[in-house]
Amino acid sequence: MRSTSDAGGDCQRGGGEEGPPGTLDPTVRDEGSRRRTFAIISHPDAGKTTLTEKFLLYAGQIDVAGAVRGRKTQRAVASDWMDLERERGISISSTALSFPYQGRVVNLLDTPGHQDFSEDTYRTLAAADSAVMVIDAAKGIETQTRKLFKVCSVRGVPILTFINKMDRLGRDPMSLLSEIEQVLGIDAVPMNWPLGLGDEFRGVYDRGRRSALLFRPAGHGSTQVPTDELDLAAALDGGPPVTAHRVRQELELLDGAGVPFDRERFLAGRMTPVFFGSAMTNFGVGPFLDAFLRLAPPPGPRKSDRGLVPPDRRAFAGQVFKIQANLNPRHRDRVAFVRVCCGRFDPEADLTLARTGGKFRIKGSHRLFAREREAMEEAYPGDIIGLTDTGGLRLGDTLCAGPTCHFEALPQFSPECFAAARCPDTGRRKQFTDGLRQLADEGVVQVFTDREAVRELILAAVGELQFDVVKFRLESEYGVRAEIAPLPYRAGAWVAASADALAVHGLVRNMKVAFDHLGRAVVLAEDPFSIRYLQKQEPGLGLLSFADNLFAPSE
């Protein structure tokens, strides 16, 4: 990234053809205030994608909700559009879903939960203004949840928590609240409270409205559930006496000793409002979605090399946070996901690609709903645009109408798995290399060349499942079969010295020199210790360890 010291630069001053520098547009401000852009994060199997599907059900975007796993006759979830996702029952690629709800425009980013695809999640969080953290009531805070929470914390993303699967045998709600506070280091404030646990879970008590919501099962969770609103005494009457006694005691404890909700602390990431429910049965989904719209923040200022950029600046600027090829396999297209950071997007506007200073011609702009899309004639801060890209855009690029700036760079995490990729059909070599180059542009894997083995390419990834995705997509989207074999390397570093200078320095045994897509030399090693040893023994190489840097060297 460029220096952020020039806080008074052109990007901060704003402006463009529609107004003088510094102009703030009230229309942009009003439209931006209607947007809610958020990511859903969780550990695998906590119910994240099921909750996403139920949001669409309650927003009226689908008539019948599917399930992540289930009978073959059930509908597949709308957010998991890739065949491999439906085959394995996991989210592999982040998905953008945009829809209206109660006078708002909701931009929902469904992210992969599996740690092998976490880099895609980290990049997507850069486009979100808030996050919904889904926790399994039986398992509590799990490994991937902690990692994703840390990313949100570093970026200052406020989090709302949905404790899921309350209809199953799980842990005590009080212990779950304590775990959130102890493990994540933030205050957890229950906005509602479960009426019954497991098979006895019948509804929730809204602590703000002082009323109980009782749910009546309907359609095995495929349709909205009928809800009755009662006072607490009436809601508990007729239920198990033990449950009624426990709920009253817990609510008295929360009212007497609990921390009250503080919106400013929530927006600062130091407090999370907590909601209880069951995404599978739809119990508590509607109230949670309504509360989310009240609590989640609209788009705010974004960090750039020119200082904070206000969302209501008249001139448009947006950042590419995801690139996806073959959303529509029939068209073999490539779509760049762009988060609108400020201004009004106009598909007829002249845009500048800040990285090169050259013009970017818009060939198609779309509103996204998983793999479905429709033409987008205008967009405002918080919106996600799908721009047709012929290959000129890269992850993290900033597009501007008017004065240019560079928004805060996207993270690039250290690969821990390496493999050799080979095309057994020499007649399909071009399709093989083109497909890998595209997947590298998307951030699925990093691709290195080995000049001693010209028939092979070296793949680097955060997790081994990414290699399965590469094989699947090469075959299904590019018609190429690939042979992928693991390599023993587990660490690497970029080399600041020239390739010729490498010959002067001695490498540690079992190391390999390769080259990235820009021709920069990298050293691969079987363990991080070897990289550190080489840094100490050969300072002239100027090694920049993968593990020590979130971002690749400047291009």
Side-chain angles (χ1 to χ4, degrees), residues 167-245:
D167 58 325
R168 303 181 186 180
L169 186 62
R171 292 169 50 183
D172 176 74
M174 286 291 187
S175 71
L176 290 168
L177 294 179
S178 296
E179 184 177 37
I180 292 173
E181 295 186 338
Q182 293 171 8
V183 175
L184 303 184
I186 58 173
D187 288 330
V189 180
M191 308 301 282
N192 62 23
W193 197 250
L195 303 178
L197 304 175
D199 292 340
E200 296 178 1
F201 179 55
R202 309 166 55 221
V204 295
Y205 177 71
D206 188 318
R207 298 183 63 215
R209 296 171 58 181
R210 297 289 174 179
S211 63
L213 300 175
L214 294 186
F215 307 115
R216 287 177 279 157
H220 301 287
S222 61
T223 58
Q224 296 187 28
V225 297
T227 303
D228 299 316
E229 185 170 358
L230 309 169
D231 61 39
L232 181 61
L236 295 176
D237 186 35
V242 174
T243 297
H245 178 68

Coordinates of all heavy atoms in Angstrom, one line a residue, residues 167-245:
D167 N -32.8 -26.1 19.4 CA -33.8 -27.2 19.4 C -33.2 -28.5 19.7 O -33.8 -29.5 19.7 CB -34.6 -27.2 18.1 CG -33.7 -27.4 16.9 OD1 -32.6 -26.8 16.9 OD2 -34.1 -28.0 15.9
R168 N -31.8 -28.5 19.8 CA -31.1 -29.8 20.1 C -30.5 -29.7 21.5 O -30.3 -28.6 22.0 CB -30.0 -30.0 19.0 CG -30.6 -30.1 17.6 CD -29.4 -30.3 16.6 NE -29.9 -30.2 15.2 CZ -29.1 -30.4 14.2 NH1 -27.8 -30.7 14.4 NH2 -29.6 -30.3 13.0
L169 N -30.1 -30.9 22.0 CA -29.5 -30.9 23.3 C -28.2 -30.2 23.2 O -27.3 -30.5 22.4 CB -29.3 -32.4 23.7 CG -28.7 -32.6 25.1 CD1 -29.7 -32.1 26.1 CD2 -28.4 -34.1 25.3
G170 N -28.0 -29.2 24.0 CA -26.8 -28.3 24.0 C -26.4 -27.9 25.3 O -26.8 -28.4 26.4
R171 N -25.5 -26.9 25.3 CA -25.0 -26.3 26.6 C -25.9 -25.3 27.2 O -26.7 -24.7 26.5 CB -23.6 -25.8 26.3 CG -22.6 -26.8 26.0 CD -21.3 -26.3 25.4 NE -20.7 -25.2 26.3 CZ -19.7 -24.5 26.0 NH1 -19.0 -24.7 24.9 NH2 -19.2 -23.6 26.9
D172 N -25.7 -25.0 28.5 CA -26.4 -24.1 29.2 C -26.2 -22.7 28.6 O -25.0 -22.3 28.3 CB -26.0 -24.1 30.6 CG -26.7 -23.0 31.5 OD1 -27.9 -23.2 31.7 OD2 -26.1 -22.0 31.8
P173 N -27.2 -21.9 28.3 CA -27.1 -20.6 27.7 C -26.1 -19.6 28.5 O -25.4 -18.9 27.9 CB -28.5 -20.0 27.7 CG -29.4 -21.2 27.6 CD -28.7 -22.2 28.5
M174 N -26.2 -19.7 29.8 CA -25.3 -18.9 30.6 C -23.9 -19.2 30.4 O -23.0 -18.3 30.3 CB -25.7 -19.0 32.1 CG -26.9 -18.3 32.5 SD -26.8 -16.5 32.4 CE -28.4 -16.0 33.2
S175 N -23.6 -20.5 30.3 CA -22.2 -20.9 30.1 C -21.7 -20.5 28.7 O -20.5 -20.1 28.5 CB -22.0 -22.4 30.2 OG -22.6 -23.1 29.1
L176 N -22.6 -20.4 27.7 CA -22.2 -20.0 26.3 C -21.9 -18.5 26.4 O -20.9 -18.0 25.7 CB -23.4 -20.2 25.4 CG -23.6 -21.7 25.0 CD1 -24.9 -21.9 24.3 CD2 -22.5 -22.2 24.2
L177 N -22.7 -17.7 27.1 CA -22.4 -16.3 27.2 C -21.0 -16.1 27.9 O -20.2 -15.2 27.5 CB -23.5 -15.6 28.1 CG -24.9 -15.5 27.4 CD1 -25.8 -14.8 28.4 CD2 -24.8 -14.8 26.1
S178 N -20.7 -16.8 28.9 CA -19.5 -16.7 29.6 C -18.3 -17.1 28.7 O -17.2 -16.4 28.7 CB -19.4 -17.6 30.9 OG -20.4 -17.2 31.8
E179 N -18.5 -18.1 27.9 CA -17.4 -18.5 27.0 C -17.1 -17.4 26.0 O -16.0 -17.2 25.6 CB -17.8 -19.8 26.3 CG -16.7 -20.3 25.4 CD -17.0 -21.7 24.7 OE1 -18.2 -21.9 24.4 OE2 -16.1 -22.5 24.6
I180 N -18.2 -16.8 25.4 CA -18.0 -15.7 24.5 C -17.1 -14.6 25.1 O -16.2 -14.1 24.5 CB -19.3 -15.1 24.0 CG1 -20.1 -16.2 23.1 CG2 -19.1 -13.8 23.2 CD1 -21.5 -15.7 22.8
E181 N -17.4 -14.3 26.3 CA -16.7 -13.2 27.0 C -15.3 -13.6 27.3 O -14.4 -12.8 27.2 CB -17.5 -12.8 28.3 CG -18.8 -12.2 28.0 CD -19.5 -11.6 29.2 OE1 -19.2 -12.1 30.3 OE2 -20.4 -10.8 29.1
Q182 N -15.1 -14.8 27.8 CA -13.7 -15.2 28.2 C -12.8 -15.5 27.0 O -11.7 -15.1 27.0 CB -13.9 -16.5 29.1 CG -14.5 -16.2 30.4 CD -14.8 -17.5 31.2 OE1 -14.4 -18.6 30.8 NE2 -15.6 -17.4 32.3
V183 N -13.4 -16.2 26.0 CA -12.5 -16.6 24.9 C -12.3 -15.5 23.9 O -11.2 -15.3 23.4 CB -13.2 -17.8 24.1 CG1 -12.4 -18.1 22.9 CG2 -13.2 -19.0 25.0
L184 N -13.4 -14.7 23.6 CA -13.2 -13.6 22.6 C -12.9 -12.2 23.3 O -12.5 -11.3 22.5 CB -14.5 -13.5 21.8 CG -15.0 -14.8 21.1 CD1 -16.2 -14.5 20.3 CD2 -13.9 -15.3 20.2
G185 N -13.1 -12.1 24.6 CA -12.7 -10.9 25.2 C -13.6 -9.7 25.0 O -13.2 -8.6 25.0
I186 N -14.9 -10.0 24.8 CA -15.9 -8.9 24.6 C -17.1 -9.2 25.5 O -17.4 -10.3 25.9 CB -16.3 -8.8 23.1 CG1 -16.9 -10.1 22.6 CG2 -15.2 -8.3 22.3 CD1 -17.6 -9.9 21.2
D187 N -17.9 -8.2 25.8 CA -19.1 -8.4 26.5 C -20.2 -9.0 25.6 O -20.3 -8.6 24.5 CB -19.6 -7.0 27.1 CG -18.8 -6.5 28.2 OD1 -18.2 -7.4 28.9 OD2 -18.7 -5.3 28.4
A188 N -20.9 -10.0 26.1 CA -22.0 -10.6 25.4 C -23.3 -10.2 26.1 O -23.5 -10.6 27.3 CB -21.8 -12.1 25.4
V189 N -24.2 -9.6 25.4 CA -25.5 -9.1 25.9 C -26.6 -9.8 25.2 O -26.9 -9.6 24.1 CB -25.6 -7.6 25.8 CG1 -26.9 -7.1 26.4 CG2 -24.4 -6.8 26.4
P190 N -27.3 -10.7 26.0 CA -28.5 -11.4 25.3 C -29.6 -10.4 25.1 O -30.1 -9.8 26.0 CB -28.8 -12.5 26.4 CG -28.3 -12.0 27.7 CD -27.1 -11.1 27.3
M191 N -30.0 -10.3 23.8 CA -31.2 -9.4 23.5 C -32.5 -10.2 23.7 O -33.5 -9.6 23.8 CB -31.0 -8.9 22.1 CG -29.7 -8.3 21.8 SD -29.3 -6.8 22.9 CE -30.3 -5.6 22.1
N192 N -32.4 -11.5 23.5 CA -33.6 -12.4 23.9 C -33.1 -13.6 24.7 O -31.9 -13.8 24.9 CB -34.4 -12.8 22.6 CG -33.6 -13.6 21.6 OD1 -32.6 -14.3 22.0 ND2 -34.0 -13.6 20.4
W193 N -34.0 -14.4 25.1 CA -33.6 -15.5 26.0 C -34.5 -16.7 25.6 O -35.7 -16.6 25.4 CB -33.8 -15.2 27.4 CG -33.1 -16.1 28.3 CD1 -33.6 -17.1 29.2 CD2 -31.7 -16.2 28.5 NE1 -32.6 -17.7 29.8 CE2 -31.4 -17.2 29.4 CE3 -30.6 -15.5 27.9 CZ2 -30.1 -17.6 29.8 CZ3 -29.3 -15.9 28.3 CH2 -29.1 -16.9 29.2
P194 N -33.9 -17.9 25.5 CA -34.7 -19.1 25.1 C -35.7 -19.6 26.1 O -35.4 -19.6 27.3 CB -33.6 -20.2 24.9 CG -32.4 -19.7 25.8 CD -32.5 -18.2 25.8
L195 N -36.9 -19.9 25.7 CA -37.9 -20.5 26.5 C -37.9 -22.0 26.3 O -38.5 -22.5 25.4 CB -39.3 -19.9 26.2 CG -39.4 -18.3 26.2 CD1 -40.7 -17.9 25.8 CD2 -39.0 -17.9 27.6
G196 N -37.1 -22.7 27.1 CA -36.9 -24.1 26.9 C -35.7 -24.4 26.1 O -35.2 -23.6 25.3
L197 N -35.2 -25.6 26.4 CA -33.9 -26.0 25.7 C -34.2 -27.4 25.0 O -35.0 -28.2 25.5 CB -32.8 -26.2 26.7 CG -32.4 -24.9 27.5 CD1 -31.3 -25.2 28.5 CD2 -32.0 -23.8 26.6
G198 N -33.5 -27.7 23.9 CA -33.7 -29.0 23.2 C -35.1 -29.2 22.7 O -35.7 -28.3 22.1
D199 N -35.6 -30.3 23.0 CA -37.0 -30.6 22.6 C -38.0 -29.7 23.2 O -39.1 -29.6 22.6 CB -37.4 -32.1 22.9 CG -36.5 -33.1 22.1 OD1 -36.0 -32.7 21.1 OD2 -36.4 -34.2 22.6
E200 N -37.7 -29.0 24.3 CA -38.7 -28.1 24.9 C -38.5 -26.7 24.4 O -39.3 -25.8 24.9 CB -38.4 -28.1 26.4 CG -38.7 -29.5 27.1 CD -38.4 -29.5 28.6 OE1 -38.0 -28.4 29.1 OE2 -38.6 -30.5 29.2
F201 N -37.6 -26.4 23.5 CA -37.5 -25.1 23.0 C -38.7 -24.6 22.2 O -39.0 -25.2 21.1 CB -36.2 -25.0 22.1 CG -36.0 -23.6 21.5 CD1 -35.8 -22.5 22.3 CD2 -35.8 -23.5 20.1 CE1 -35.6 -21.3 21.8 CE2 -35.6 -22.2 19.6 CZ -35.4 -21.1 20.4
R202 N -39.4 -23.6 22.7 CA -40.7 -23.2 22.1 C -40.7 -21.8 21.6 O -41.6 -21.4 20.9 CB -41.8 -23.4 23.2 CG -41.9 -24.7 23.8 CD -42.8 -24.7 25.1 NE -44.1 -24.2 24.8 CZ -44.8 -23.4 25.6 NH1 -44.2 -23.0 26.7 NH2 -46.0 -23.0 25.3
G203 N -39.7 -21.0 22.1 CA -39.8 -19.6 21.7 C -38.7 -18.8 22.4 O -37.8 -19.4 23.0
V204 N -38.7 -17.5 22.3 CA -37.7 -16.6 22.9 C -38.5 -15.5 23.6 O -39.6 -15.1 23.3 CB -36.7 -16.1 21.9 CG1 -35.9 -17.2 21.3 CG2 -37.5 -15.3 20.8
Y205 N -37.8 -15.0 24.7 CA -38.3 -13.8 25.4 C -37.5 -12.6 25.0 O -36.3 -12.6 25.1 CB -38.2 -14.0 26.9 CG -38.6 -12.8 27.7 CD1 -40.0 -12.5 27.8 CD2 -37.7 -12.0 28.4 CE1 -40.4 -11.4 28.6 CE2 -38.1 -10.9 29.1 CZ -39.4 -10.6 29.2 OH -39.8 -9.5 30.0
D206 N -38.2 -11.6 24.4 CA -37.6 -10.4 23.9 C -37.4 -9.5 25.1 O -38.3 -8.9 25.7 CB -38.4 -9.7 22.9 CG -37.7 -8.5 22.2 OD1 -37.1 -7.7 22.9 OD2 -37.9 -8.3 21.0
R207 N -36.1 -9.3 25.6 CA -35.8 -8.5 26.8 C -36.1 -7.0 26.6 O -36.4 -6.4 27.6 CB -34.4 -8.7 27.2 CG -34.0 -10.2 27.5 CD -32.6 -10.3 28.0 NE -32.4 -9.6 29.3 CZ -31.3 -9.0 29.6 NH1 -30.2 -9.0 28.7 NH2 -31.2 -8.3 30.7
G208 N -36.0 -6.5 25.4 CA -36.3 -5.1 25.2 C -37.7 -4.8 25.2 O -38.2 -3.8 25.9
R209 N -38.5 -5.6 24.6 CA -40.0 -5.4 24.5 C -40.7 -6.0 25.7 O -41.9 -5.8 25.8 CB -40.5 -6.0 23.2 CG -39.9 -5.3 21.9 CD -40.3 -6.0 20.7 NE -41.7 -6.1 20.5 CZ -42.3 -6.7 19.5 NH1 -41.6 -7.3 18.5 NH2 -43.6 -6.8 19.4
R210 N -40.1 -6.8 26.5 CA -40.7 -7.5 27.6 C -41.9 -8.3 27.2 O -42.9 -8.3 27.8 CB -41.1 -6.4 28.7 CG -40.0 -5.6 29.3 CD -39.2 -6.5 30.2 NE -38.0 -5.8 30.7 CZ -37.1 -6.4 31.6 NH1 -37.3 -7.6 32.0 NH2 -36.1 -5.7 32.0
S211 N -41.7 -9.1 26.1 CA -42.7 -10.0 25.6 C -42.1 -11.2 25.1 O -40.9 -11.3 24.7 CB -43.6 -9.3 24.5 OG -42.8 -9.0 23.4
A212 N -42.9 -12.3 25.1 CA -42.5 -13.6 24.7 C -43.0 -13.9 23.3 O -44.1 -13.6 22.9 CB -42.9 -14.7 25.7
L213 N -42.2 -14.6 22.5 CA -42.6 -15.0 21.1 C -42.6 -16.5 21.1 O -41.5 -17.1 21.3 CB -41.6 -14.5 20.1 CG -41.5 -12.9 20.0 CD1 -40.4 -12.6 19.0 CD2 -42.8 -12.3 19.6
L214 N -43.8 -17.1 20.9 CA -43.9 -18.6 20.9 C -44.1 -19.0 19.4 O -44.8 -18.4 18.7 CB -45.1 -19.0 21.7 CG -45.0 -18.8 23.2 CD1 -46.2 -19.5 23.9 CD2 -43.7 -19.4 23.8
F215 N -43.3 -20.0 19.0 CA -43.3 -20.4 17.6 C -44.1 -21.7 17.5 O -44.0 -22.6 18.3 CB -41.9 -20.6 17.1 CG -41.0 -19.4 17.4 CD1 -39.9 -19.5 18.2 CD2 -41.3 -18.2 16.7 CE1 -39.1 -18.4 18.5 CE2 -40.5 -17.1 16.9 CZ -39.4 -17.2 17.8
R216 N -44.8 -21.8 16.4 CA -45.5 -23.0 16.0 C -44.9 -23.7 14.8 O -44.8 -23.1 13.8 CB -47.0 -22.7 15.8 CG -47.8 -22.4 17.0 CD -49.2 -22.0 16.6 NE -49.3 -20.6 16.2 CZ -50.3 -20.2 15.4 NH1 -51.2 -21.0 14.9 NH2 -50.3 -18.9 15.1
P217 N -44.4 -24.9 15.0 CA -43.7 -25.6 13.8 C -44.6 -25.6 12.6 O -45.8 -25.8 12.7 CB -43.4 -27.0 14.4 CG -43.4 -26.8 15.8 CD -44.5 -25.8 16.1
A218 N -43.9 -25.4 11.4 CA -44.6 -25.5 10.1 C -43.7 -25.9 9.0 O -42.6 -25.3 8.9 CB -45.3 -24.1 9.8
G219 N -44.1 -26.9 8.2 CA -43.4 -27.2 7.0 C -42.0 -27.7 7.2 O -41.1 -27.5 6.3
H220 N -41.6 -28.3 8.3 CA -40.3 -28.8 8.6 C -39.2 -27.7 8.3 O -38.1 -28.0 7.8 CB -40.0 -30.0 7.7 CG -41.0 -31.1 7.9 ND1 -40.9 -31.9 9.0 CD2 -42.0 -31.6 7.2 CE1 -41.9 -32.8 9.0 NE2 -42.6 -32.6 7.9
G221 N -39.5 -26.5 8.6 CA -38.6 -25.4 8.5 C -38.4 -24.8 7.1 O -37.6 -24.0 6.8
S222 N -39.3 -25.3 6.2 CA -39.2 -24.8 4.8 C -40.0 -23.5 4.6 O -39.9 -22.9 3.5 CB -39.6 -25.9 3.8 OG -41.0 -26.2 4.1
T223 N -40.9 -23.2 5.5 CA -41.7 -22.0 5.4 C -41.7 -21.2 6.7 O -41.2 -21.7 7.7 CB -43.2 -22.3 5.1 OG1 -43.7 -23.1 6.1 CG2 -43.3 -23.1 3.8
Q224 N -42.1 -19.9 6.7 CA -42.1 -19.1 7.8 C -43.0 -19.7 8.9 O -44.1 -20.2 8.6 CB -42.5 -17.7 7.5 CG -41.6 -17.0 6.6 CD -42.0 -15.5 6.4 OE1 -42.6 -14.9 7.3 NE2 -41.7 -14.9 5.2
V225 N -42.5 -19.6 10.2 CA -43.3 -20.2 11.3 C -44.3 -19.2 11.8 O -44.0 -18.0 12.0 CB -42.4 -20.7 12.4 CG1 -41.5 -21.8 11.9 CG2 -41.6 -19.6 13.0
P226 N -45.6 -19.6 12.1 CA -46.5 -18.7 12.8 C -46.0 -18.4 14.2 O -45.4 -19.3 14.9 CB -47.8 -19.6 12.9 CG -47.6 -20.7 11.8 CD -46.1 -20.9 11.8
T227 N -46.2 -17.2 14.6 CA -45.6 -16.7 15.9 C -46.7 -16.1 16.7 O -47.5 -15.2 16.2 CB -44.5 -15.7 15.7 OG1 -43.5 -16.3 14.9 CG2 -43.9 -15.3 17.0
D228 N -46.8 -16.4 18.0 CA -47.7 -15.8 18.9 C -46.9 -14.9 19.9 O -45.9 -15.4 20.5 CB -48.5 -16.8 19.7 CG -49.4 -17.7 18.8 OD1 -50.0 -17.1 17.9 OD2 -49.4 -18.9 19.0
E229 N -47.4 -13.7 20.1 CA -46.7 -12.8 21.1 C -47.5 -12.7 22.4 O -48.7 -12.4 22.3 CB -46.5 -11.4 20.5 CG -45.7 -10.5 21.4 CD -45.3 -9.2 20.7 OE1 -45.6 -9.0 19.5 OE2 -44.7 -8.3 21.4
L230 N -46.9 -13.1 23.5 CA -47.6 -13.1 24.8 C -46.8 -12.5 25.9 O -45.6 -12.2 25.6 CB -47.9 -14.6 25.2 CG -48.6 -15.5 24.2 CD1 -48.5 -17.0 24.6 CD2 -50.0 -15.1 24.0
D231 N -47.4 -12.3 27.0 CA -46.5 -11.9 28.1 C -45.8 -13.1 28.7 O -46.2 -14.2 28.4 CB -47.3 -11.1 29.2 CG -48.4 -12.0 29.8 OD1 -48.2 -13.2 30.1 OD2 -49.5 -11.4 30.1
L232 N -44.8 -12.9 29.5 CA -44.0 -14.0 30.0 C -44.8 -15.0 30.7 O -44.6 -16.3 30.5 CB -42.8 -13.5 30.8 CG -41.9 -14.6 31.3 CD1 -41.2 -15.3 30.2 CD2 -40.8 -13.9 32.3
A233 N -45.7 -14.6 31.6 CA -46.4 -15.5 32.4 C -47.3 -16.4 31.6 O -47.3 -17.6 31.8 CB -47.3 -14.8 33.4
A234 N -47.9 -15.9 30.6 CA -48.8 -16.7 29.7 C -48.0 -17.6 28.9 O -48.4 -18.7 28.6 CB -49.6 -15.7 28.8
A235 N -46.8 -17.2 28.5 CA -45.9 -18.0 27.6 C -45.4 -19.2 28.4 O -45.3 -20.3 27.8 CB -44.7 -17.2 27.1
L236 N -45.1 -19.0 29.7 CA -44.6 -20.1 30.5 C -45.7 -21.0 31.1 O -45.4 -22.2 31.5 CB -43.8 -19.6 31.7 CG -42.5 -18.9 31.3 CD1 -41.8 -18.3 32.5 CD2 -41.5 -19.8 30.5
D237 N -46.9 -20.5 31.1 CA -48.0 -21.3 31.6 C -48.3 -22.5 30.8 O -48.4 -22.4 29.5 CB -49.3 -20.4 31.7 CG -50.4 -21.2 32.4 OD1 -50.2 -21.9 33.4 OD2 -51.6 -21.0 32.0
G238 N -48.4 -23.7 31.4 CA -48.7 -24.9 30.6 C -47.4 -25.6 30.2 O -47.5 -26.8 29.8
G239 N -46.3 -25.0 30.4 CA -45.0 -25.7 30.1 C -44.5 -26.4 31.3 O -45.1 -26.3 32.4
P240 N -43.4 -27.1 31.2 CA -42.8 -27.8 32.4 C -42.5 -26.8 33.5 O -41.8 -25.8 33.2 CB -41.5 -28.4 31.8 CG -41.8 -28.5 30.3 CD -42.6 -27.3 30.0
P241 N -42.9 -27.1 34.7 CA -42.6 -26.1 35.8 C -41.1 -25.9 36.0 O -40.7 -24.8 36.4 CB -43.2 -26.9 37.0 CG -44.3 -27.8 36.4 CD -43.7 -28.2 35.1
V242 N -40.3 -26.9 35.8 CA -38.9 -26.7 36.0 C -38.3 -25.7 35.0 O -37.5 -24.8 35.3 CB -38.1 -28.1 35.8 CG1 -36.6 -27.9 35.8 CG2 -38.6 -29.1 36.9
T243 N -38.8 -25.8 33.7 CA -38.4 -24.8 32.7 C -38.8 -23.4 33.1 O -38.0 -22.4 33.0 CB -39.0 -25.2 31.3 OG1 -38.5 -26.4 31.0 CG2 -38.6 -24.1 30.3
A244 N -40.1 -23.2 33.5 CA -40.6 -21.9 33.9 C -39.8 -21.3 35.1 O -39.4 -20.1 35.0 CB -42.1 -22.0 34.3
H245 N -39.5 -22.1 36.0 CA -38.7 -21.7 37.2 C -37.3 -21.2 36.8 O -36.8 -20.2 37.2 CB -38.6 -22.8 38.2 CG -37.8 -22.4 39.5 ND1 -38.2 -21.4 40.4 CD2 -36.6 -22.8 39.9 CE1 -37.3 -21.3 41.3 NE2 -36.3 -22.2 41.0

